Amino acid sequence: MATQQPATRPANPRFSSGPCAKPPTFELSKLADAPLGRSHRAAVGKAKLKDAIEGTREILGIPADYRIGIVPASDTGAVEMALWSLLGERKVEMLAWESFGAGWITDVVKQLKIDAEAKVADYGQIVDLASVECTNDVVFTWNGTTSGVRVQNGDWIDANRDGLTICDATSAAFAMDLPWDKLDVTTFSWQKVLGGEAAHGVIVLSPRAVERLENYTPTWPLPKIFRLTKGGKLIEGIFTGATINTPSMLAVEDYLFALDWARSIGGLEGLIARADANAQAVFDFCAANDWIANLAEDDATRSNTSVCLKFTDNRIQDGAAFAKAVAKRLESENIALDIGAYRDAPAGLRIWCGGTVETSDIQAMLPWLAWAFEAEIAAQKS
């Protein structure tokens, strides 16, 4: 019974699922080279943006013939840009196993009014990927940030598909090995795995996606902020640093710092290893304690970034209130900040385990989680 407060505290209690913890070596002084007060269209701004694009390609291993653009409104903006610009040419399959995937279904069916086939799984589960027909366009999240359930690999995607795959990879990029040959549109935000600042999204287009953009025009009007083509041709400048609207050069500098840090720990391989170690520490804790479990029902689909947990003790009287009380107790002790489950998800906790988090902090936090659990069980009796 964990009744006494543990002696060791995490050096960094930040376990938020976005914006996520900064890289361990971060200091504000590292951003001193940001060209503040300068136009992003000036030579210095364009150079920084191009470095961000090419650094993304380098770390993630994105093929040379794929376009990478920095776009407004975080991952949400990047996904919406893809949905509004590309869908409608053929049948669409929408796959969802958490709240953001469900949100994309709402946008496609209710806003764009496309007659799409929605395949939805409950939190903790994943849809039958073998049933997906790749002659259709397919929209899905690689990693369910709010459910902790992820796609294992891209084997289910037909290499000779006729449709496009549109993948929301916002909590997967930089922590999971994405099969670029199976992905036509990939989106993410650098606020997630690399701990960057919010409001900027990244969109990656395969040659097949570019071909669709240049040969298909949606029937609905496109806001300027979503437009990737002009006169039937891709706006190439977007993918060389000429962004659609004004980016924050301070946020770009912060991203460049994070990319340099990623290189220093071994690039993508190092980032994946750190996330895997962090998540494994939580998995081992769950295996050793019968009152808590991973929300993901199949071990093979457990996320290594947004690890979602559920309390399983039958003494708990109100699951939602109990989980909130545990999270509040840990926050009040400055042990773990922002670890409550997402508002639409089942009651529980969500611990960010991406590569910017130190495994030692995860290991120091977990005994405190046991302490908080026992304290709240005791509080129910009073």
Side-chain angles (χ1 to χ4, degrees):
M1 299 287 286
T3 55
Q4 299 297 316
Q5 288 188 346
T8 303
R9 292 172 174 265
N12 184 352
R14 294 170 177 82
F15 301 106
S16 164
S17 292
C20 300
K22 309 295 288 182
T25 59
F26 175 80
E27 298 174 356
L28 280 174
S29 60
K30 305 283 189 179
L31 309 185
D33 196 42
L36 304 184
R38 293 296 309 276
S39 170
H40 63 294
R41 303 191 191 283
V44 62
K46 287 182 178 179
K48 294 280 189 181
L49 289 161
K50 186 175 181 180
D51 285 349
I53 289 170
E54 292 311 313
T56 302
R57 187 184 307 278
E58 172 201 346
I59 300 296
L60 292 179
I62 298 173
D65 59 349
Y66 279 48
R67 307 313 208 284
I68 304 170
I70 297 169
V71 300
S74 196
D75 175 66
T76 299
V79 173
E80 296 286 12
M81 179 179 288
L83 301 182
W84 283 71
S85 299
L86 290 160
L87 295 185
E89 192 262 357
R90 62 178 58 230
K91 183 179 176 181
V92 183
E93 289 191 40
M94 306 291 299
L95 315 182
W97 40 88
E98 49 94 51
S99 59
F100 287 98
W104 307 143
I105 293 175
T106 297
D107 288 353
V108 169
V109 175
K110 293 188 176 181
Q111 301 300 321
L112 295 178
K113 302 187 184 306
I114 294 174
D115 184 16
E117 179 181 0
K119 296 182 177 179
V120 181
D122 291 335
Y123 279 84
Q125 301 175 5
I126 198 166
V127 302
D128 178 13
L129 296 174
S131 71
V132 175
E133 179 52 67
C134 290
T135 56
N136 304 320
D137 290 337
V138 181
V139 180
F140 68 102
T141 55
W142 191 274
N143 181 82
T145 309
T146 66
S147 68
V149 174
R150 68 171 175 180
V151 175
Q152 287 180 260
N153 53 54
D155 294 351
W156 55 280
I157 301 172
D158 188 349
N160 299 311
R161 61 195 174 279
D162 295 319
L164 297 180
T165 52
I166 299 177
C167 175
D168 173 358
T170 199
S171 55
F174 296 106
M176 303 174 198
D177 192 10
L178 299 174
W180 295 106
D181 62 322
K182 299 294 186 71
L183 304 177
D184 294 305
V185 182
T186 308
T187 68
F188 59 88
S189 169
W190 58 52
Q191 63 149 318
K192 293 291 187 183
V193 179
L194 287 188
E197 293 305 297
H200 295 74
V202 175
I203 189 167
V204 182
L205 303 177
S206 74
R208 299 180 72 252
V210 173
E211 181 182 15
R212 169 76 66 84
L213 284 166
E214 293 184 336
N215 291 279
Y216 164 71
T217 302
T219 58
W220 45 80
L222 279 180
K224 177 182 177 181
I225 208 165
F226 288 168
R227 294 176 203 157
L228 293 167
T229 62
K230 184 176 182 180
K233 292 294 181 183
L234 193 72
I235 303 173
E236 293 286 358
I238 294 173
F239 305 95
T240 59
T243 54
I244 293 174
N245 70 338
T246 305
S248 163
M249 296 313 298
L250 188 62
V252 171
E253 192 70 23
D254 182 65
Y255 182 51
L256 291 172
F257 162 76
L259 289 171
D260 281 340
W261 172 77
R263 293 184 185 98
S264 75
I265 62 164
L268 181 60
E269 185 176 341
L271 287 165
I272 292 174
R274 286 175 64 94
D276 284 349
N278 291 339
Q280 191 60 53
V282 181
F283 300 159
D284 291 345
F285 179 82
C286 290
N289 294 277
D290 61 6
W291 46 266
I292 195 165
N294 201 298
L295 184 60
E297 296 178 6
D298 183 351
D299 290 355
T301 65
R302 298 183 306 192
S303 172
N304 68 343
T305 55
S306 55
V307 178
C308 297
L309 306 175
K310 58 185 178 182
F311 292 105
T312 57
D313 195 292
N314 58 18
R315 293 173 292 175
I316 296 173
Q317 298 164 10
D318 182 331
F322 186 88
K324 288 179 181 178
V326 168
K328 183 177 180 180
R329 189 177 289 267
L330 291 171
E331 182 171 347
S332 67
E333 292 288 343
N334 202 37
I335 295 299
L337 307 178
D338 310 317
I339 65 166
Y342 189 72
R343 60 180 180 269
D344 295 331
L349 304 176
R350 180 171 56 156
I351 300 170
W352 183 256
C353 291
T356 58
V357 174
E358 298 278 30
T359 304
S360 58
D361 285 331
I362 296 280
Q363 292 170 331
M365 178 271 295
L366 291 170
W368 283 88
L369 174 53
W371 166 81
F373 167 78
E374 294 295 351
E376 289 304 323
I377 287 292
Q380 288 187 153
K381 301 175 182 178
S382 61

